[in-house]
C-alpha cells in the first residue's frame, strides 16, 4: 500500500504531474471529494498557523536570524476568525509553528482543543526544540488532542548539538525528551505520534546512524532531513548556488495557507520575512483571499516557469535548485 509520504515523493520527483495537479486542485469533483465543497476554487490542505514567532534559540541555520518581522503572539479573536473561516473544510492539516517555538505561546493547548472541536477531521501537529518540556508541559501535551509532535534534536553529542542549536543545552534537552517517553509510557498514552528529527548538515552528517540507534526503540518515527536554504540562508547541502533558469514548479502556492501571528499571509513555509504580499486574515474571508489576484498571479508565473521576478520564489532553491528533492528518510 502506498503511504501518503511515498505518494508525495512520487509527485515531487515526477515533473510531468506538475501541470495536471494545478488543474486538478481547482476542480469541482476533487474539491467535493477532498473537502466536501462543490467549488472551482483553490482550497488549502495544510495550514501553517504561526501563533507566535518568538523563540528561545538562535540556531545558525534558522531563517529567524535574518527575519525583521515584529515578534508577537496571535490574539484569540483573530484565531477564532481563522478557524471560523475554515469551518467548511474537512480534514485540514494544521502545523502550529512557522518561525517560532510554539511552546512559548501561552494559549497553545487551548488553540489545539478549539481546532479539534470545531474543524471536522483536522489533524494538528507542531515541532519543538524540546527545551521547554517540563513535566507539566509534557502532561499537557499527552492529555491534549495533539495528533503528532516533532522533537528537533540535530546531534548526538554536546559539541555537535550545541554548535547547531545555539543557546540550547544538550544534556537538559535530551533529558526532557527521555522524560516525555517515560511519562507517556506511565500514562499509557498512544498519542501524539512522536517524531525524532535530525536536520543534516556538514557538521552532523557523521552522526546519522548514532541518531537512529539513540531513538529507534522509543520514537514512533525518525526523520532524517537535509538542511536546505530557506531562500537566502545559504545553508543547503543540496544546492550551493541558484540557477538562472527555473527548474521546477512548486505545489505550495496551491496547497499551503500560511498565516503569521499578526494575520498577514505568507506564500509558503519558507517565506519567513513576508516577501509575498497576499493579504491579511483580519480583513476578508480566508478562502476568498486564498483565490485573490495576488495568489492568482503567483500561480500563473509558477505554471509558466517564469518566477524570475516573483518574490520570494525568485530566490528559492526548491525551484531554482535541487532542494525540492531533499526529502525525509
Amino acid at each position: 500500500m502506498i503511504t501518503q509520504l511515498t505518494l508525495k515523493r512520487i509527485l515531487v520527483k515526477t515533473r510531468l504531474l506538475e501541470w495536471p495537479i494545478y488543474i486538478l486542485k481547482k476542480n469541482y469533483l476533487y474539491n467535493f471529494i477532498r473537502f466536501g465543497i462543490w467549488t472551482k476554487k483553490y482550497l488549502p490542505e495544510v495550514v501553517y498557523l504561526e501563533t507566535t514567532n518568538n523563540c528561545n534559540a538562535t540556531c545558525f541555520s534558522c531563517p529567524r536570524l535574518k527575519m525583521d518581522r515584529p515578534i508577537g503572539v496571535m490574539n484569540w479573536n483573530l484565531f477564532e476568525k481563522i478557524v471560523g473561516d475554515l469551518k467548511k473544510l474537512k480534514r485540514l492539516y494544521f502545523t502550529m509553528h512557522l518561525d517560532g517555538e510554539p511552546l512559548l505561546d501561552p494559549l497553545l493547548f487551548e488553540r489545539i482543543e478549539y481546532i479539534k472541536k470545531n474543524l471536522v477531521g483536522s489533524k494538528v501537529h507542531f515541532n519543538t526544540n524540546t527545551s521547554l518540556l517540563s513535566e507539566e508541559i509534557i502532561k499537557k501535551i499527552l492529555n491534549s488532542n495533539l495528533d503528532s509532535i516533532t522533537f528537533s534534536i540535530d546531534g548526538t553529542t554536546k559539541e555537535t548539538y550545541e554548535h547547531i542549536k545555539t543557546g540550547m543545552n544538550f544534556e537538559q534537552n535530551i533529558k526532557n525528551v527521555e522524560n516525555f517517553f517515560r511519562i507517556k509510557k506511565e500514562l499509557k498514552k498512544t498519542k501524539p505520534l512522536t517524531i525524532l528529527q535530525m536536520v543534516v548538515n556538514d557538521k552532523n552528517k557523521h552522526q546519522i546512524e548514532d541518531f537512529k540507534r539513540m531513538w529507534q526503540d522509543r520514537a514512533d518515527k525518525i526523520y532524517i532531513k537535509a538542511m536546505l536554504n530557506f531562500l537566502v540562508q545559504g545553508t543547503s547541502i543540496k544546492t550551493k548556488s541558484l540557477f538562472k533558469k527555473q527548474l521546477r514548479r512548486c505545489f505550495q502556492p496551491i496547497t499551503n495557507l500560511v498565516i503569521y501571528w499578526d494575520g498577514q499571509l505568507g506564500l509558503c513555509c519558507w517565506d519567513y520575512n513576508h516577501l509575498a504580499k497576499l493579504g491579511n486574515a483580519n480583513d476578508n474571508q480566508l478562502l476568498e483571499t486564498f483565490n485573490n489576484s495576488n495568489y492568482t498571479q503567483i500561480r500563473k508565473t509558477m505554471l509558466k516557469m517564469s518566477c524570475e521576478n516573483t518574490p520570494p520564489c525568485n530566490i528559492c532553491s526548491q525551484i531554482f535548485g535541487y532542494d525540492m528533492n531533499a526529502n525525509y528518510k
Side-chain angles (χ1 to χ4, degrees):
M1 183 177 180
I2 297 178
T3 66
Q4 185 177 7
L5 182 58
T6 301
L7 181 60
K8 286 183 177 179
R9 286 172 175 166
I10 294 171
L11 294 179
V12 165
K13 291 179 180 296
T14 309
R15 278 207 52 205
L16 293 176
L17 292 175
E18 291 172 359
W19 183 282
I21 288 173
Y22 262 79
I23 304 303
L24 176 66
K25 277 279 293 159
K26 199 179 180 182
N27 178 272
Y28 284 107
L29 185 58
Y30 175 85
N31 285 331
F32 184 73
I33 294 172
R34 173 63 180 80
F35 299 103
I37 299 178
W38 189 259
T39 183
K40 194 180 180 182
K41 293 181 178 180
Y42 284 117
L43 300 175
E45 298 183 7
V46 178
V47 181
Y48 278 87
L49 193 60
E50 178 192 78
T51 61
T52 182
N53 61 342
N54 193 13
C55 190
N56 56 343
T58 53
C59 308
F60 84 89
S61 62
C62 183
R64 291 187 80 262
L65 299 181
K66 294 189 176 184
M67 183 180 74
D68 55 22
R69 292 192 289 122
I71 305 298
V73 178
M74 181 177 288
N75 70 63
W76 188 263
N77 288 339
L78 171 58
F79 171 73
E80 275 191 334
K81 179 188 181 298
I82 291 168
V83 174
D85 284 356
L86 299 174
K87 207 161 188 176
K88 294 180 180 179
L89 303 185
K90 297 178 180 178
R91 299 185 297 276
L92 289 173
Y93 185 89
F94 276 82
T95 298
M96 304 292 285
H97 68 268
L98 188 62
D99 294 311
E101 167 53 53
L103 289 174
L104 287 171
D105 173 13
L107 298 175
L108 177 64
F109 295 103
E110 287 88 341
R111 299 188 205 270
I112 293 170
E113 295 303 314
Y114 192 84
I115 290 171
K116 298 293 287 187
K117 180 180 178 180
N118 289 279
L119 297 176
V120 177
S122 289
K123 301 291 185 182
V124 183
H125 170 86
F126 70 81
N127 187 321
T128 175
N129 62 34
T130 76
S131 63
L132 300 174
L133 290 179
S134 65
E135 185 165 331
E136 178 185 2
I137 293 295
I138 289 171
K139 288 180 178 178
K140 283 187 176 183
I141 292 171
L142 293 171
N143 289 320
S144 73
N145 276 317
L146 187 68
D147 292 284
S148 58
I149 187 169
T150 295
F151 296 146
S152 183
I153 304 287
D154 297 332
T156 60
T157 62
K158 181 179 178 67
E159 180 182 11
T160 300
Y161 175 87
E162 293 185 2
H163 173 78
I164 296 168
K165 303 193 84 64
T166 313
M168 297 285 97
N169 182 288
F170 176 71
E171 292 89 353
Q172 182 60 57
N173 288 359
I174 294 297
K175 181 181 178 181
N176 290 347
V177 176
E178 290 174 341
N179 284 339
F180 176 90
F181 285 119
R182 174 182 57 80
I183 296 171
K184 185 179 183 182
K185 185 176 181 180
E186 289 174 355
L187 297 179
K188 299 180 181 179
K189 297 287 187 178
T190 57
K191 289 180 64 178
L193 182 140
T194 307
I195 301 161
L196 263 292
Q197 177 176 283
M198 180 180 185
V199 180
V200 179
N201 59 75
D202 291 336
K203 301 294 184 181
N204 67 359
K205 61 185 180 182
H206 63 288
Q207 295 183 344
I208 291 175
E209 295 306 316
D210 288 341
F211 184 84
K212 292 178 182 177
R213 285 190 291 268
M214 187 174 185
W215 301 111
Q216 64 184 359
D217 294 329
R218 288 174 283 185
D220 294 309
K221 293 185 178 182
I222 294 175
Y223 283 173
I224 306 298
K225 180 183 178 183
M227 183 171 285
L228 308 181
N229 265 328
F230 282 95
L231 303 181
V232 293
Q233 285 299 105
T235 52
S236 175
I237 62 173
K238 292 282 185 179
T239 304
K240 300 303 181 185
S241 60
L242 298 181
F243 290 82
K244 293 183 179 179
K245 183 179 179 181
Q246 185 175 339
L247 305 180
R248 301 293 308 265
R249 297 180 182 91
C250 180
F251 297 133
Q252 293 203 50
I254 61 172
T255 60
N256 292 6
L257 175 61
V258 176
I259 310 172
Y260 303 122
W261 68 269
D262 57 359
Q264 296 289 341
L265 302 182
L267 178 62
C268 65
C269 58
W270 284 30
D271 188 11
Y272 64 91
N273 220 19
H274 191 210
L275 296 178
K277 310 303 179 185
L278 299 169
N280 193 305
N282 286 287
D283 298 334
N284 300 298
Q285 214 282 344
L286 272 173
L287 299 184
E288 295 300 321
T289 304
F290 196 63
N291 288 273
N292 68 17
S293 59
N294 296 333
Y295 273 102
T296 299
Q297 181 58 34
I298 286 178
R299 290 163 185 157
K300 284 182 178 179
T301 59
M302 187 64 69
L303 274 173
K304 292 178 180 178
M305 299 272 286
S306 59
C307 291
E308 292 83 359
N309 297 311
T310 304
C313 306
N314 57 346
I315 53 173
C316 179
S317 57
Q318 291 204 72
I319 60 174
F320 285 92
Y322 299 120
D323 283 2
M324 190 177 288
N325 288 325
N327 292 312
Y328 287 106
K329 295 181 180 178

